[in-house]
C-alpha cells in the first residue's frame, strides 16, 4: 500500500510538471481549486468540472486527494486537526475534493488567497434517496451497508436515511443535523455555492459562474468560450455515482406521506434555508 501511494505521488508530481511546461507562459502560483460537497450531492460531478480547467491552465489533471470528515468503512469521526493538516498539505495548481465541515479554523484557511473554493449541495430529499441506493447497492464496504441490507424494504431504509441511527455506536444523525456542520460555507463570500440542480437545468449559466469565480482570483490568458467548452466537455455522467438518472426531484417517486411527515419534522427548516421550499406545504 505504501509503495502504491508513493508511486501515485510521483506520477501526480510528474503530471504537474508536464502541465507546468505545457502552460509555461501562465503564472505558476494559481490558487488551489477546492471542491467542497455535502455527501451524495454531486461530488464527482464538481470534481470533473474543476479538472476541466487543466485543459486551459497548468492545473493538475487529476484530483490530488479526497478528504472526508468520517472514515468510510468504520464511520469513525476524524480529529478536526486532520482537516487542517490536509488543507496545509495542498499546493498551488492542485485540484482537491472534500466533505469538509465549516469550522472556524477551516474557514480561515479556505477563505484565503491560497484557495478558489466551491461548495455544492443538493435537495436533501434527493440526498436521502441517493444515500439509500448508494449504501445498499453500490458500496459494500460502507459502514451502514449490512444494516441497510438487513432492513425489510426500501421504505424502512429511507426512514433511517432521514432520521439517522441515534442508538448506534457510530455517529449518524438525522439529515438536518448531518447538514448543519456545512451551513457555514453558505455565509462565506469567498466560497461559490452551487445547487446541484442548476448543473442539470441551467448548466451554461452555472459553468459561467464557476469560471468567473476562478477568473476573479486568477485571470487566465484564454478566451472565455474556450474555458467554458473545456468545463462542459469534462463532464462524464457515467463516472458520477450521484448522477444516476440525470434528473432532479426524484424523491417524489419514493417519498410516501409518512416519509414527508418525518422529513418535515427533522428537515423542514433546512429545505427553506437552502431555498428548496418556501414553507412546509409541500
Amino acid at each position: 500500500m505504501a509503495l502504491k501511494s508513493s508511486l501515485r505521488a510521483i506520477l501526480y508530481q510528474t503530471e504537474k510538471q508536464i502541465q507546468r511546461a505545457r502552460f509555461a507562459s501562465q503564472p505558476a502560483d494559481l490558487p488551489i481549486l477546492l471542491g467542497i460537497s455535502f455527501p451524495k450531492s454531486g461530488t464527482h460531478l464538481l470534481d470533473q468540472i474543476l479538472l476541466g480547467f487543466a485543459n486551459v491552465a497548468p492545473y493538475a489533471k487529476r484530483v490530488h486527494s479526497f478528504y472526508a470528515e468520517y472514515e468510510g468503512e468504520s464511520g469513525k469521526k476524524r480529529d478536526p486537526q486532520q482537516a487542517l493538516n490536509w488543507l496545509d498539505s495542498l499546493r498551488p495548481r492542485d485540484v482537491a475534493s472534500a466533505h469538509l465541515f465549516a469550522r472556524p479554523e477551516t474557514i480561515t484557511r479556505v477563505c484565503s488567497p491560497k484557495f478558489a473554493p466551491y461548495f455544492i449541495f443538493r435537495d436533501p430529499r434527493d440526498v436521502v434517496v441517493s444515500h439509500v441506493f448508494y449504501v445498499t447497492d453500490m458500496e459494500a464496504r460502507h459502514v451502514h451497508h449490512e444494516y441497510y441490507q438487513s432492513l425489510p424494504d426500501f421504505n424502512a431504509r429511507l426512514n433511517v436515511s432521514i432520521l439517522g441511527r441515534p442508538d448506534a455506536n457510530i455517529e449518524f444523525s438525522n439529515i438536518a443535523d448531518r447538514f448543519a456542520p456545512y451551513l457555514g460555507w453558505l455565509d462565506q463570500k469567498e466560497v461559490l455555492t452551487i445547487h446541484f440542480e442548476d448543473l442539470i437545468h441551467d448548466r451554461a449559466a452555472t459553468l459561467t459562474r464557476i469560471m468567473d469565480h476562478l477568473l476573479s482570483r486568477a485571470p487566465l490568458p484564454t478566451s472565455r468560450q474556450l474555458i467554458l467548452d473545456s468545463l462542459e466537455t469534462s463532464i462524464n455522467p457515467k463516472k458520477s455515482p450521484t448522477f444516476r438518472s440525470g434528473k432532479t426531484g426524484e424523491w417524489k417517486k419514493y417519498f410516501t406521506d409518512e416519509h414527508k411527515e418525518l422529513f418535515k419534522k427533522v428537515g423542514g427548516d433546512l429545505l427553506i434555508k437552502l431555498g428548496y421550499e418556501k414553507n412546509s406545504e409541500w
Side-chain angles (χ1 to χ4, degrees), residues 13-193:
Q13 291 305 321
T14 300
E15 289 177 342
K16 281 191 72 175
Q17 291 172 5
I18 293 173
Q19 278 290 91
R20 183 70 196 108
R22 178 186 175 194
F23 297 99
S25 63
Q26 295 194 24
D29 59 345
L30 293 174
I32 298 157
L33 294 173
L34 176 60
I36 303 169
S37 59
F38 184 72
K40 313 317 303 169
S41 294
T43 304
H44 295 280
L45 188 58
L46 180 58
D47 290 349
Q48 292 171 8
I49 292 169
L50 296 184
L51 287 171
F53 283 111
N55 295 319
V56 294
Y59 275 104
K61 300 185 74 173
R62 67 180 68 194
V63 173
H64 174 261
S65 61
F66 172 75
Y67 180 83
E69 296 284 356
Y70 298 89
E71 295 177 0
E73 295 185 26
S74 70
K76 181 181 178 182
K77 194 172 185 178
R78 300 184 193 275
D79 186 302
Q81 185 61 43
Q82 289 185 259
L84 301 180
N85 294 343
W86 177 76
L87 289 168
D88 290 342
S89 74
L90 300 175
R91 295 293 178 262
R93 296 178 285 117
D94 280 345
V95 181
S97 178
H99 299 323
L100 195 63
F101 290 170
R103 301 186 182 93
E105 300 89 346
T106 306
I107 290 174
T108 298
R109 277 174 169 74
V110 170
C111 296
S112 70
K114 181 180 178 181
F115 291 92
Y118 301 81
F119 174 47
I120 189 169
F121 57 92
R122 184 186 190 189
D123 187 325
R125 293 165 294 193
D126 278 333
V127 167
V128 293
V129 170
S130 180
H131 179 265
V132 172
F133 281 113
Y134 179 73
V135 174
T136 308
D137 303 326
M138 300 176 65
E139 185 50 80
R141 296 175 299 173
H142 195 284
V143 65
H144 300 300
H145 175 72
E146 289 187 8
Y147 176 71
Y148 270 39
Q149 286 212 322
S150 74
L151 296 174
D153 54 30
F154 183 91
N155 287 341
R157 295 173 188 129
L158 186 52
N159 285 345
V160 174
S161 189
I162 295 170
L163 298 176
R165 296 178 63 187
D167 56 343
N169 59 1
I170 51 175
E171 184 175 316
F172 187 62
S173 53
N174 69 59
I175 181 61
D177 288 344
R178 298 203 300 273
F179 202 103
Y182 294 85
L183 287 173
W185 295 123
L186 301 177
D187 303 321
Q188 311 307 317
K189 61 181 177 59
E190 296 88 352
V191 179
L192 180 69
T193 57

Side-chain angles (χ1 to χ4, degrees), residues 96 184 233 253:
T233 56
K253 294 182 180 179

